Amino acid sequence: MNNVHLRKVGKIYAGGVEALRDIAFDIPDGAFCVLVGPSGCGKSTLLRMVAGLETITSGEISIGDRAVNDLDPSERDIAMVFQNYALYPHMSVYDNMAYGLRNRKTPKPEIEARVQEAARILEIGHLLDRKPRQLSGGQRQRVAMGRAIVRKPRVFLFDEPLSNLDAKLRIQMRVEIKKLQRTLGITSIYVTHDQLEAMTLADMLVVMNKGNIEQVGPPLQLYERPETVFVAGFIGAPPMNLIELPEGGVAGLALENRPVAPVIVGIRPEHFELAPVGTPAPLGISMQITAIEMVGAETYLYGALDGRGREVIVRVAGKAEQQIGERVTAVAERHNLHFFDPATGRRLAVS
């Protein structure tokens, strides 16, 4: 079994800077786990600790049934794909992929078989004689993945491998990585700050913030039921609308049967519907449109609640008939509302 266990893992740097605290979760055998969060949240540090490139201050990391805290990276049976490809410029693609196996004294026939098989899977067989400088960014990334594949590791580690690619190629490579992982069935941990990339790749999503875990679960579960204000605002593009209601309420917003104030109300842009003024609904907002963003099959209307200056986003299907400066009313149903405690940022159970 190539599952990964993390038990109260912590990291404190010199000077008492705490990078990670009490990180605990399990990655099942063969799962694709994505660590996502803003820059500086500790996701890359955690990945490097699994790899053995960073020491662990506290807790335990296990791969399968073996604790790896005190093992060198070479003893952990992992393969890592980096952001910058890290290919040897003077070596051919074949030699780059074979290099690690040669260092391990792997027999030549097995090296040949592994490299050719990885090249077939990645569709780079015609590139084996080229040098890295003769390759595009996408081809270099495939070679970097091929070098990892030939290792036949217990765990793949990906450290923002697509961040150097252009937008179109990122989408293409994202699909290829997911297909590759499903084909090989190797437990994988992937780091990214791009929540859309995380949502599309992950079987299991770990949202991190300031050295802590905010929530762990399948991507759709985190999207539909965020447990914290941070997750609600981070997962989703565009993000969930989060409106704080103080004791006196908010001008431009009406909420029936509201919880005991104060409370933060969350609503996804797609769960709003435009309606005539006075239309009954559990949640209704009045806003003046300040910007319109057309993205093909749908349009996003941006506006602000009266007296608050808080931006609200409403999604409408197709082309919007509204104009900038126009005032609109948007309504939402109760089952699409999320409630959070402003003091703790945690989800509230509201019937």
Side-chain angles (χ1 to χ4, degrees), residues 206-280:
V206 179
V207 180
M208 300 182 64
N209 181 33
K210 297 180 180 178
N212 294 304
I213 290 179
E214 292 277 342
Q215 191 172 350
V216 177
L220 190 58
Q221 177 182 314
L222 271 65
Y223 185 85
E224 294 181 338
R225 189 178 173 81
E227 291 297 327
T228 68
V229 168
F230 179 84
V231 175
F234 190 82
I235 298 297
M240 180 183 287
N241 295 293
L242 296 167
I243 305 167
E244 186 169 355
L245 298 183
E247 292 287 349
V250 173
L253 182 145
L255 176 63
E256 295 179 0
N257 303 319
R258 61 180 289 180
V260 176
V263 68
I264 295 175
V265 182
I267 178 72
R268 294 282 180 197
E270 65 268 25
H271 291 150
F272 274 123
E273 290 187 8
L274 297 184
V277 175
T279 299

Side-chain angles (χ1 to χ4, degrees), residues 120-265:
R120 183 191 64 79
I121 293 172
L122 294 166
E123 299 180 355
I124 56 173
H126 62 294
L127 303 176
L128 291 177
D129 293 330
R130 296 188 188 181
K131 299 289 179 63
R133 65 177 178 273
Q134 298 172 298
L135 306 178
S136 67
Q139 290 170 335
R140 293 179 191 179
Q141 193 54 272
R142 286 174 185 268
V143 175
M145 288 191 290
R147 186 175 52 192
I149 290 171
V150 298
R151 291 274 313 280
K152 295 187 176 180
R154 301 183 71 181
V155 179
F156 275 142
L157 304 179
F158 296 89
D159 190 8
E160 302 207 46
L162 307 183
S163 59
N164 287 338
L165 305 180
D166 62 61
K168 184 178 180 180
L169 191 53
R170 283 185 72 151
I171 295 173
Q172 178 186 337
M173 290 301 300
R174 197 165 67 205
V175 173
E176 293 300 322
I177 287 175
K178 185 63 175 178
K179 286 166 57 179
L180 174 66
Q181 195 273 336
R182 285 179 174 171
T183 299
L184 299 176
I186 296 176
T187 307
S188 301
I189 308 177
Y190 187 104
V191 163
T192 181
H193 63 274
D194 184 329
Q195 61 86 26
L196 181 59
E197 190 168 284
M199 290 283 290
T200 54
L201 281 172
D203 301 320
M204 171 184 178
L205 201 56
V206 179
V207 180
M208 300 182 64
N209 181 33
K210 297 180 180 178
N212 294 304
I213 290 179
E214 292 277 342
Q215 191 172 350
V216 177
L220 190 58
Q221 177 182 314
L222 271 65
Y223 185 85
E224 294 181 338
R225 189 178 173 81
E227 291 297 327
T228 68
V229 168
F230 179 84
V231 175
F234 190 82
I235 298 297
M240 180 183 287
N241 295 293
L242 296 167
I243 305 167
E244 186 169 355
L245 298 183
E247 292 287 349
V250 173
L253 182 145
L255 176 63
E256 295 179 0
N257 303 319
R258 61 180 289 180
V260 176
V263 68
I264 295 175
V265 182

Side-chain angles (χ1 to χ4, degrees), residues 322-335:
Q322 293 73 25
Q323 303 295 323
I324 293 177
E326 183 177 342
R327 182 166 295 282
V328 297
T329 296
V331 298
E333 297 299 326
R334 183 78 176 191
H335 66 273

Side-chain angles (χ1 to χ4, degrees), residues 70-85:
D70 300 322
L71 296 182
D72 290 334
S74 60
E75 301 175 293
R76 298 192 182 200
D77 200 5
I78 56 94
M80 196 161 183
V81 179
F82 295 93
Q83 175 180 341
N84 63 357
Y85 318 134

